[in-house]
Amino acid sequence: GENVEQHPSTLSVQEGDSAVIKCTYSDSASNYFPWYKQELGKGPQLIIDIRSNVGEKKDQRIAVTLNKTAKHFSLHITETQPEDSAVYFCAAVWGNMLTFGGGTRLMVKP
Amino acid sequence: DGGITQSPKYLFRKEGQNVTLSCEQNLNHDAMYWYRQDPGQGLRLIYYSQIVNDFQKGDIAEGYSVSREKKESFPLTVTSAQKNPTAFYLCASSIRGGNTGELFFGEGSRLTVL
């Protein structure tokens, strides 16, 4: 089955700096890559996604890039704010099922 | 408001007891899912259902059971056969199965086995 590796597991940045979270996947047939944000005590929420026919997608301060050849995709958050502090999960679709990465705890220091 | 409701939020259980976690959605979604969340291991799929009266095992179904008698409801039973049941359990739904669309999650149920 699909295997998704996510790095780093924790990330601490200063408010206003950028944050980058990287994921690699194993199945070259995967074609959909969502990112979820989980705030403390809540369920994850979709923040951005990308399909395999696109190399980059941006939504205000967040962007996702996909490199199908290398089988990795990344989440970029610019101008980080304290409310960006959360756990972020990447995921990849294999065989119509989502496989999640292990998560990254992002801490934005004011 | 439309959404997914999980209950209870916190649950304590003695070893050897079965416990059922509730999940209700009013989004009119066809598909529903149960995930288990452990620190550093992401979200692992326990069971999923793409339509009423049908469900399939996920990656870690051993020791768990589900039912899907109504579109709105997908309860999860953690049985005494589950060797390490202490975890955070998340229920989710999507408009249809196939997992190529957005998953909507509940706020989770934290189970602790004493």
Side-chain angles (χ1 to χ4, degrees):
Chain A
E2 177 67 280
N3 184 43
V4 178
E5 299 281 340
Q6 183 172 346
H7 298 281
S9 57
T10 60
L11 179 59
S12 182
V13 300
Q14 206 68 38
E15 182 177 358
D17 288 349
S18 294
V20 180
I21 303 170
K22 298 181 180 181
C23 289
T24 59
Y25 60 98
S26 60
D27 193 324
S28 56
S30 294
N31 59 7
Y32 174 61
F33 308 91
W35 285 88
Y36 285 81
K37 175 184 180 182
Q38 185 179 26
E39 297 179 345
L40 194 62
K42 299 195 173 181
Q45 188 170 13
L46 180 71
I47 56 171
I48 195 167
D49 56 12
I50 192 167
R51 299 192 184 270
S52 58
N53 58 347
V54 176
E56 184 174 357
K57 184 176 177 181
K58 191 172 181 181
D59 183 3
Q60 298 182 1
R61 294 186 299 107
I62 60 173
V64 58
T65 58
L66 172 64
N67 183 327
K68 287 185 63 181
T69 303
K71 290 189 284 186
H72 68 71
F73 56 112
S74 300
L75 178 71
H76 305 254
I77 306 174
T78 58
E79 300 172 23
T80 54
Q81 301 169 4
E83 52 265 37
D84 294 328
S85 295
V87 178
Y88 292 81
F89 292 99
C90 64
V93 171
W94 175 82
N96 282 336
M97 297 311 301
L98 271 176
T99 298
F100 284 90
T104 297
R105 181 173 298 279
L106 173 64
M107 293 169 285
V108 180
K109 296 178 288 186
Chain B
D1 272 22
I4 298 186
T5 302
Q6 289 187 241
S7 62
K9 198 170 179 69
Y10 299 96
L11 187 60
F12 297 89
R13 179 195 105 175
K14 293 181 180 179
E15 280 192 31
Q17 289 181 334
N18 291 357
V19 63
T20 297
L21 308 180
S22 170
C23 178
E24 303 277 331
Q25 56 101 356
N26 60 3
L27 300 167
N28 200 31
H29 285 175
D30 285 332
M32 296 187 75
Y33 312 82
W34 275 104
Y35 288 90
R36 171 177 170 143
Q37 184 174 11
D38 296 285
Q41 294 194 50
L43 307 175
R44 293 182 291 167
L45 183 65
I46 304 172
Y47 268 98
Y48 66 100
S49 168
Q50 300 197 59
I51 197 168
V52 175
N53 291 322
D54 188 42
F55 49 83
Q56 288 79 39
K57 293 181 179 180
D59 299 322
I60 55 166
E62 186 175 349
Y64 300 97
S65 66
V66 293
S67 63
R68 186 87 187 276
E69 296 176 3
K70 299 186 299 181
K71 188 175 185 178
E72 305 80 23
S73 179
F74 192 40
L76 173 74
T77 296
V78 185
T79 75
S80 57
Q82 169 49 233
K83 298 303 179 192
N84 185 21
T86 294
F88 189 58
Y89 291 89
L90 284 161
C91 180
S93 71
S94 62
I95 292 175
R96 64 187 65 82
N99 259 312
T100 54
E102 182 174 0
L103 287 180
F104 293 81
F105 285 88
E107 296 202 335
S109 294
R110 186 167 297 280
L111 172 63
T112 302
V113 174
L114 305 173

